[in-house]
Every structure is written in C-alpha cells, then in structure tokens.
Amino acid sequence: MNQHQTQARTDNRSARRIAFVQACWHKDIVDRCRVSFAVEIAKLGVGEEDIDYFEVPGSLEIPLHAQLLAESGRYAAIVAAGFIVNGGVYRHEFVAEAVISGLMRVQLDTKVPVISAVLTPQNFHEHDEHKKFFLDHFVVKGAEAAAACAATVDKVARLPLAS
C-alpha cells in the first residue's frame, strides 16, 4: 500500500468516526440512549470501533466538549445525549436554551454535524410512571439519533464544497 492509499484510508476512517457525548445527570435513563444508538448505528454500518464515548457531569457541559471534539478534526459527527429536567436549582428553560443553542453554534462554527438527543421535558417527576416512560423514550431517541447521524454524515459528505 502506497502513502496515498494509506492517507486515503486514514481520511476515510476519520470521516466515519463519531463522538458520543453524554451527560451523567439521570445517567440510568440517558444510558439507554447510548446503548440504543450503538445498536442502531451498527445496523447502519458504523462499527463500535468507530465511536468514541465521552461523559460529562451535566448537559451544560456538553456544548464545550462537543466544540473541542469537533475542532479536533477527528470526527464526522458529534452526538449529544442528556436529560434536562426542572430540578428547582436553575430554570429549566434557561438550561435547555443554553444547551441547544450551544450545540447549534458548535455545528455552525465548526461545520461538524451535531445530532441532539438532549431531551428537555417540561415536567418530570421521579416516580415509576415517568421514569419508565423516559427509560423507554431514550431507547427510541437513541435509534432516531443513529439514523439522523448516519444520514447527515452521508449527506454532508456528498455536498459539493468550495475549496
């Protein structure tokens, strides 16, 4: 294999790498998204070896982590997963707006797609019914994030970009 083939293979591999950044608040619920994402993205041809997983304390820490990962040039996409609920310390709306706006800014500034599986329900109560709903819902969101990630990476790769 010559140097050009080696470089093309390396570029192709890095073009398929995905970073998955997960907040650890309500980790038991958000973990369901990560597991579902991994299962679904594998069905779409992205192997476990092509995904790097990162944990941050809470959702407010996701945008900075996503930006640093995007700026590294190693990833074709960043997936963010978190669960922002009204916990009484910060206003739910403030945190949700800051995180979602931050993620949008990251992808627009770096041109690396950021797929959001950061859920921001208006009401969440830690009783069995709500917890079961969100445990199940994060499985759905993980699969949806995988489909969106694969489609976006493919579509961005096909865009005619100016040199």
Side-chain angles (χ1 to χ4, degrees):
M1 183 179 299
N2 68 33
Q3 186 176 0
H4 179 71
Q5 289 171 315
T6 302
Q7 183 63 39
R9 214 170 144 205
T10 301
D11 290 346
N12 185 34
R13 182 161 175 82
S14 124
R16 291 179 44 99
R17 283 202 84 61
I18 309 286
F20 190 99
V21 183
Q22 171 183 340
C24 289
W25 282 94
H26 296 284
K27 187 174 180 344
D28 59 328
I29 295 173
V30 182
D31 277 344
R32 301 284 296 258
C33 182
R34 178 184 42 78
V35 170
S36 176
F37 174 84
V39 168
E40 190 64 29
I41 201 88
K43 292 177 190 175
L44 299 171
V46 179
E48 188 72 25
E49 69 280 359
D50 293 321
I51 306 169
D52 293 331
Y53 296 97
F54 302 90
E55 291 184 345
V56 295
S59 292
L60 276 173
E61 291 77 31
I62 294 173
L64 175 60
H65 215 83
Q67 182 173 5
L68 295 171
L69 292 168
E71 288 173 348
S72 76
R74 294 190 65 216
Y75 298 101
I78 313 290
V79 178
F83 193 39
I84 302 171
V85 300
N86 188 352
V89 176
Y90 293 113
R91 292 217 20 153
H92 167 267
E93 296 84 5
F94 165 77
V95 176
E97 174 68 24
V99 172
I100 300 305
S101 293
L103 293 176
M104 181 59 71
R105 196 178 98 213
V106 168
Q107 74 176 349
L108 294 176
D109 289 353
T110 66
K111 297 177 180 52
V112 175
V114 177
I115 309 302
S116 177
V118 176
L119 299 188
T120 62
Q122 184 63 39
N123 294 302
F124 172 73
H125 305 286
E126 292 202 43
H127 55 69
D128 291 344
E129 185 179 337
H130 266 204
K131 193 161 183 171
K132 181 185 179 337
F133 174 82
F134 284 104
L135 283 165
D136 294 343
H137 196 54
F138 265 93
V139 172
V140 172
K141 290 301 170 188
E144 289 175 353
C149 182
T152 302
V153 167
D154 180 59
K155 289 177 186 313
V156 167
R158 295 172 189 264
L159 289 174
L161 303 176
S163 298

